[in-house]
Amino acid sequence: MNTIIFKTVLPVLAAMMLVFSVFVLLRGHNEPGGGFIGGLIAASALAMYGIALGVEEARKALVVDPISIAGVGVLLAGVAGLLSLGYQVPFLTGIWHSFSFAGAEVTISTPMVFDIGVYLVVMGTIAAIALALEEDEAGQ
Amino acid sequence: MEPSIDFVVALIPIAPFLAAFLAPLLHRFVGPAAGWVLAIVPASIFISLLGFIEPIAHGESFTYALDWLPAMTYLSPGLQGVGIQFSFFIDGLSLTFGLLISGIGTIIVVYSGSYLAGHRQQGRFLAFILMFMGSMLGLVLADDLIVLFIFWELTSITSFLLIGFDHARQASRRAAIQALVITGGGGLVMLAGIALLHLLTFDPASGQALWKMTDFIGVADLIRQSDYYLPILLLFLAGAFTKSAQFPFHFWLPNAMEAPTPVSAFLHSATMVKAGIYLLARMSPIFANGYVTLDLPLFGSVDFYAWNIILTTFGGVTLLWGAVFALKQTDIKQMLAQTTIASLGLLVLLLGVGTELAVTAAVIYLVAHAFYKAALFLVAGLIDHGTGTREITELGGLRAKLPFTFAAAVLAAISMAGLPTALGFFAKEEMYAALIGPDWHQMAVLLVLFVGNALMMAVGLSVAITPFFGALKQTPHAPHEGAFAMWAGPVLLGVLAMMAGFYTYELGHYYVIPTASTIYNFQVDSHLSLIPHFNQWPVWISIATWIAGVALFMFLPKIRVGLQNMQRRMGWTFDDGFDASMFGLIKGASMITRLLHHGRLEIYLVVVFVGFALAVFVPQIVGGGLLTSIEMPVLTFYEWGVIVIALAGLVAVLAAGTRLVAIASLGIQGFAIAMIFMLFGAPDLSFTQFMVEILSVVILALVMTRLHLDRRDRRVPWEILRDGFLALVCGVGVTMLLLLVLQTPLDMRLTEFFAATSTPIAHGHNIVNVILVDYRGLDTLGEISVVMTAGVAILALIRMRGGGPKLGIGAKKSSRRRARKGASA
């Protein structure tokens, strides 16, 4: 896996994949995509980054432990559900809010926050497993 | 009444939990004084409950309900139900219990501050005590049965923490587990009874089923006449009898004496063990006098009053069992524990008799017992604290050294013996009066009561007299009196119990009548009077009890030796039985584990796929829906192309020389399937399939390299045959199933529902995603929690070093450390 092409291309490729994963995540409510698939794309980007440049590099680039990202994801999804309590409606009821920003109509909602949580869980968990496996392989 | 007072009802069980959070912190700042500070909480609960006495004596009651789980109820379709409410109420019965719990709780908290002074984990201890108190208060104030159940199990859990407080000792861990298994298990059995009762109360006219105890009284007749009356009763009794240590579940109680003494004083006087009594008293208007007819194989048709027979029988046996075994003990705490069992039996028996007088007697005895038993346990703690031993044979002549302890012991023993003017006196008078009658079974119960009371009195005298009179004996350390915080409580309890005789009218009006009327479900009369009626039987039976009690006390050492010899000859106790069953459980569990979890991966897979094949084929064969004809589909050339790719993948897998190549080839199949999804209009599925394929190939390859398997797959021919056959069967089965499914008309209702509602109510055009994050968001939340938990577990497995040598798992330590540093940098 230590080919020079792979090593050179991968940082750019991984960055593009991550941007693409966010795009897939955010379009998910109306077009094919969503948090789960976005998370998978992001996790593949991280796993490949780890293979190409080494786990240490990958962890340094991530700053936080990937499993913590997964934990934050669950927390975020739970909090997105709890927000509905403030509106006197049952747990996980979607709350929608639109406003105009720089001339465009922007809509934010609790299902979106929830989906971001799903994204983080999938990305964090799979990246954590993949990096841990790569790490031990590298250590031997 | 202003509405805020109802809110106070809900606040009462919550406040101790809040205080419990503060306890460890407070202890860190103020040290042993934390006991005094924290006692403010139960004391204020006590004072606020005092305010309820006057209105409740006038027949008022207070409720507070907050919607909790509105969907949790059995309803006619289309109705909006009330469901489970977080609801509390106060009537005579719960008020009496609430006052006992908070009042004695105050004394216990103050006492613990001094008793455990200097203990490193005193803050934790106080937190446990307060949590337990909150659970207990919630239990007696709960209206909704589910709320009652939750607090019921909370008392089991918190008492587990209290009994096992000294967790470094094996005996105390065992006692804690035993109490948890028995009382918690009984609670679970009761939950089944609660569910049955809920379903039984379904009223077709209103379309509602009931959860609240206050509502059950209205349908009591319906419950008693139902076929389910006996099962429900037995399930509830399982809960009450385990909690209140009735024979044959009595043995956890003496073992629970492993707890620090303040815990014993609290749990076994006014709280824990009285929870079962509370439940019986509370359910008495619903269950009492239910008439049951049974067809037994040997006896033919039998009919009886189930509640009354079961309660008097078990109560009577428990009373005698506890009282006799109390004589055998030499440890003061054990003597008291056995008499507690006896007293609980007595209460169950009285509730079983269930007449107006018997219920009144039970109500008075309940409080009398709580007072004197709490005082005596605290005395036991004072003696232990002051001398270093609780063995009654090693104690003597302490009355000058421990004067306040002595005073408290004497006062408590007077109430226990039932001498005038103590509260215990009235309890005894009432119970004898309740049972005087011409029937032979009334006489039998009376005799049981008489014997039980005499035995208990002998034990009471022994605890109050033996340690304090006679010659001063050598004790582990020189005897000294405890601090004011320790002796004030028991003395106060003793004095209060003695004062009962001078306030008979107030006692009757404010406490006996409201409480007994709740249990009896009918206005009862109080006729407490200090003046003995020498023309009536109860007085003479009381006098006979005193004489018998004193006589037994005189011969106690001899009786004790006799009983100890007898016990030795029996050789088996209920305690041994419990241990045997627990060990049996563990052995059975490890046997099953070894059977199923043998560690041979290929066998796991074989089992899984055999199960899978059965699950696919059996319904098809049994249901008679085996595929009969196959219709050749009409496909375009590019659809054929995809199928050819899939087949090429299959060939590649089979022909692969090494495992790694096989795994990669498997990916070809996955891509082909993803293509099919794409062609047939499921872009989301296809998208996901692609990513899953990539990642699973990557992760499988990584796992493969880590496991250090052979590069090639070496299987003996018959294994190849077996696995190939299984693979074929599973594949054919799934194909047939799918074709079968396609032959049935497609049900479009769900599709139409989602297509019609997705955009208007969930603001999304992508139905798949909208379903995931909105329609079934709770499921997704559960799933991502599982994903994360599985991830943590896998990480733990990968990083575990234990399996290292066997499988070659584990990186060099230095590289791991560097990796960690990199991650945190």
Side-chain angles (χ1 to χ4, degrees):
Chain A
M1 295 287 181
N2 293 331
T3 67
I4 197 95
I5 299 175
F6 199 47
K7 273 190 178 172
T8 316
V9 170
L10 221 277
V12 183
L13 188 64
M16 278 163 61
M17 283 174 79
L18 283 175
V19 172
F20 183 64
S21 75
V22 174
F23 165 71
V24 167
L25 157 71
L26 292 181
R27 82 201 279 258
H29 215 58
N30 290 313
E31 312 282 338
F36 186 72
I37 179 69
L40 287 177
I41 296 171
S44 336
L46 297 174
M48 277 159 56
Y49 193 87
I51 290 174
L53 297 162
V55 178
E56 260 175 69
E57 277 301 310
R59 288 195 190 278
K60 218 180 278 176
L62 263 177
V63 182
V64 278
D65 196 312
I67 200 71
S68 312
I69 298 180
V72 170
V74 174
L75 191 70
L76 198 63
V79 168
L82 284 175
L83 285 179
S84 63
L85 296 185
Y87 292 80
Q88 301 282 317
V89 285
F91 183 57
L92 277 171
T93 307
I95 311 289
W96 293 77
H97 187 65
S98 297
F99 59 93
S100 54
F101 174 77
E105 172 93 353
V106 179
T107 306
I108 54 167
S109 65
T110 53
M112 187 185 79
V113 178
F114 185 86
D115 218 13
I116 295 174
V118 174
Y119 170 86
L120 293 178
V121 171
V122 173
M123 171 177 84
T125 306
I126 295 180
I129 295 169
L131 288 181
L133 286 168
E134 289 164 17
E135 183 172 66
D136 276 301
E137 186 201 11
Q140 274 160 7
Chain B
M1 278 293 143
E2 68 231 70
S4 65
I5 195 160
D6 289 339
F7 182 67
V8 170
V9 179
L11 204 60
I12 285 170
I14 294 166
F17 285 101
L18 299 179
F21 280 109
L22 292 178
L25 211 69
L26 197 66
H27 176 247
R28 193 165 300 162
F29 289 121
V30 300
W36 285 104
V37 179
L38 287 169
I40 294 171
V41 176
S44 17
I45 292 173
F46 183 76
I47 290 165
S48 68
L49 281 172
L50 285 179
F52 286 92
I53 288 183
E54 185 72 43
I56 279 175
H58 292 123
E60 284 185 61
S61 63
F62 300 88
T63 57
Y64 178 82
L66 189 72
D67 274 334
W68 182 24
L69 300 169
M72 278 287 281
T73 181
Y74 186 67
L75 273 180
S76 294
L79 274 179
Q80 192 72 30
V82 178
I84 295 174
Q85 287 189 317
F86 212 66
S87 57
F88 299 101
F89 81 121
I90 295 193
D91 64 357
L93 181 60
S94 34
L95 182 63
T96 299
F97 268 93
L99 284 170
L100 276 180
I101 295 161
S102 55
I104 295 183
T106 309
I107 291 170
I108 298 293
V109 171
V110 170
Y111 185 96
S112 314
S114 186
Y115 185 82
L116 284 173
H119 194 292
R120 232 163 38 82
Q121 285 162 342
Q122 194 188 14
R124 179 193 293 187
F125 180 81
L126 289 168
F128 288 167
I129 281 268
L130 287 165
M131 281 196 285
F132 175 78
M133 191 188 303
S135 318
M136 206 56 216
L137 284 168
L139 197 163
V140 298
L141 295 181
D143 190 2
D144 195 294
L145 271 181
I146 294 293
V147 176
L148 174 116
F149 168 77
I150 286 168
F151 281 109
W152 183 277
E153 293 297 54
L154 266 178
T155 62
S156 295
I157 293 165
T158 46
S159 66
F160 165 80
L161 295 172
L162 283 170
I163 295 168
F165 178 70
D166 199 0
H167 56 81
R169 283 189 309 119
Q170 201 266 337
S172 109
R173 290 200 303 272
R174 173 176 173 272
I177 288 175
Q178 191 177 52
L180 182 69
V181 167
I182 292 177
T183 63
L188 288 177
V189 174
M190 189 175 77
L191 181 62
I194 291 174
L196 266 180
L197 191 60
H198 174 67
L199 294 178
L200 184 63
T201 56
F202 178 73
D203 176 13
S206 71
Q208 284 264 11
L210 307 173
W211 280 121
K212 288 188 186 167
M213 292 183 287
T214 38
D215 294 338
F216 285 139
I217 294 179
V219 291
D221 282 334
L222 180 129
I223 293 168
R224 279 195 293 261
Q225 283 152 19
S226 150
D227 287 342
Y228 291 101
Y229 167 70
L230 190 60
I232 292 175
L233 176 65
L234 291 178
L235 292 169
F236 270 87
L237 290 185
F241 280 11
T242 47
K243 202 74 156 185
S244 282
Q246 294 300 293
F247 184 90
F249 306 112
H250 58 281
F251 53 89
W252 71 264
L253 198 153
N255 289 334
M257 291 300 128
E258 294 295 339
T261 304
V263 176
S264 311
F266 198 30
L267 261 60
H268 302 137
S269 62
T271 55
M272 180 76 172
V273 295
K274 290 281 172 68
I277 304 296
Y278 168 78
L279 184 79
L280 293 178
R282 177 59 75 200
M283 301 313 272
S284 180
I286 300 161
F287 287 144
N289 303 318
Y291 201 64
V292 173
T293 309
L294 277 185
D295 279 318
L296 294 177
L298 278 179
F299 302 92
S301 179
V302 182
D303 39 10
F304 56 98
Y305 287 104
W307 166 275
N308 311 56
I309 290 283
I310 297 174
L311 259 63
T312 38
T313 310
F314 279 88
V317 170
T318 310
L319 166 60
L320 292 181
W321 184 280
V324 169
F325 273 75
L327 297 178
K328 193 198 77 151
Q329 307 295 336
T330 52
D331 180 340
I332 298 179
K333 265 179 90 175
Q334 285 296 334
M335 294 165 73
L336 294 174
Q338 298 288 354
T339 56
T340 302
I341 294 178
S343 297
L344 294 167
L346 180 69
L347 283 166
V348 170
L349 185 148
L350 287 174
L351 288 173
V353 172
T355 58
E356 184 181 336
L357 277 174
V359 168
T360 312
V363 167
I364 303 173
Y365 188 76
L366 173 81
V367 174
H369 172 255
F371 272 58
Y372 75 68
K373 195 51 69 68
L376 285 176
F377 269 119
L378 295 178
V379 163
L382 279 161
I383 293 175
D384 192 11
H385 194 259
T387 66
T389 181
R390 295 191 311 245
E391 286 295 310
I392 199 147
T393 48
E394 296 172 14
L395 294 163
L398 291 172
R399 68 184 182 282
K401 302 277 185 190
L402 282 75
F404 297 111
T405 310
F406 174 55
V410 168
L411 288 172
I414 289 175
S415 190
M416 187 170 179
L419 293 169
T421 62
L423 199 51
F425 167 73
F426 300 104
K428 200 164 291 179
E429 294 283 292
E430 288 288 315
M431 71 177 84
Y432 289 149
L435 281 157
I436 288 178
D439 271 340
W440 67 266
H441 51 259
Q442 274 178 315
M443 296 302 287
V445 173
L446 189 63
L447 188 68
V448 169
L449 279 181
F450 169 76
V451 174
N453 275 326
L455 291 169
M456 277 199 278
M457 180 179 167
V459 177
L461 288 176
S462 173
V463 172
I465 291 176
T466 316
F468 298 102
F469 286 91
L472 190 63
K473 288 187 181 162
Q474 189 69 35
T475 47
H477 55 80
H480 63 89
E481 182 62 287
F484 170 74
M486 288 178 71
W487 59 256
V491 170
L492 180 69
L493 286 171
V495 171
L496 284 178
M498 289 303 291
M499 275 162 56
F502 305 105
Y503 295 95
T504 48
Y505 171 76
E506 287 79 1
L507 276 179
H509 182 67
Y510 289 114
Y511 141 56
V512 179
I513 294 180
T515 313
S517 302
T518 316
I519 303 173
Y520 193 58
N521 200 23
F522 203 79
Q523 194 66 27
V524 302
D525 260 348
S526 169
H527 42 82
L528 301 183
S529 148
L530 193 56
I531 305 137
H533 301 283
F534 285 106
N535 55 345
Q536 284 173 10
W537 277 106
V539 180
W540 294 106
I541 306 176
S542 278
I543 292 171
T545 314
W546 296 331
I547 296 169
V550 171
L552 280 165
F553 168 64
M554 305 298 252
F555 293 102
L556 187 58
K558 276 184 194 150
I559 300 174
R560 182 180 293 143
V561 173
L563 280 170
Q564 280 168 347
N565 286 336
M566 208 174 77
Q567 166 96 40
R568 223 167 288 135
R569 241 169 284 146
M570 264 183 7
W572 187 88
T573 61
F574 282 88
D575 222 13
D576 297 334
F578 176 82
D579 279 349
S581 60
M582 287 302 276
F583 281 126
L585 192 69
I586 293 168
K587 261 187 210 152
S590 54
M591 250 171 61
I592 292 174
T593 308
R594 270 199 304 276
L595 192 73
L596 296 176
H597 193 71
H598 40 67
R600 295 178 57 196
L601 291 175
E602 76 271 22
I603 305 291
Y604 290 159
L605 285 179
V606 168
V607 170
V608 167
F609 281 109
V610 167
F612 184 77
L614 289 176
V616 170
F617 271 106
V618 169
Q620 291 187 51
I621 294 166
V622 173
L626 270 181
L627 200 64
T628 45
S629 64
I630 299 176
E631 212 176 304
M632 225 29 204
V634 185
L635 297 177
T636 60
F637 71 94
Y638 51 86
E639 285 162 351
W640 280 114
V642 174
I643 289 175
V644 169
I645 295 176
L647 286 173
L650 177 66
V651 173
V653 171
L654 293 176
T658 65
R659 291 171 196 257
L660 210 54
V661 174
I663 289 171
S665 313
L666 209 55
I668 301 176
Q669 305 248 348
F671 279 115
I673 291 169
M675 293 285 286
I676 293 175
F677 286 150
M678 187 78 92
L679 293 176
F680 287 84
D684 269 288
L685 267 181
S686 158
F687 216 164
T688 311
Q689 178 77 25
F690 271 121
M691 290 318 300
V692 168
E693 275 312 321
I694 295 173
L695 278 170
S696 53
V697 168
V698 169
I699 287 184
L700 267 176
L702 286 171
V703 170
M704 290 282 299
T705 51
R706 268 173 43 80
L707 280 179
H708 297 281
L709 296 172
D710 294 339
R711 285 166 52 80
R712 291 170 189 288
D713 173 25
R714 280 184 244 279
R715 267 180 284 190
V716 294
W718 88 265
E719 280 178 339
I720 295 178
L721 260 175
R722 178 194 68 190
D723 298 347
F725 174 72
L726 256 180
L728 267 179
V729 167
C730 288
V732 170
V734 172
T735 311
M736 280 169 60
L737 190 67
L738 287 176
L739 289 171
L740 204 63
V741 169
L742 286 178
Q743 283 179 356
T744 58
L746 191 56
D747 187 348
M748 295 294 285
R749 274 181 301 173
L750 281 179
T751 318
E752 280 159 12
F753 168 76
F754 286 123
T757 57
S758 173
T759 313
I761 68 170
H763 310 277
H765 296 290
N766 179 2
I767 297 177
V768 177
N769 184 261
V770 172
I771 290 173
L772 282 176
V773 298
D774 208 331
Y775 286 106
R776 37 151 284 172
L778 190 63
D779 291 16
T780 308
L781 185 60
E783 285 160 8
I784 58 175
S785 313
V786 170
V787 166
M788 189 206 64
T789 315
V792 172
I794 291 172
L795 280 191
L797 277 176
I798 294 173
R799 290 181 180 170
M800 204 164 58
R801 310 198 144 261
K806 216 188 281 172
L807 291 168
I809 293 175
K812 286 184 194 100
K813 260 184 193 155
S814 56
S815 85
R816 164 83 31 72
R817 217 169 283 140
R818 261 185 282 122
R820 283 269 168 70
K821 247 180 230 160
S824 59

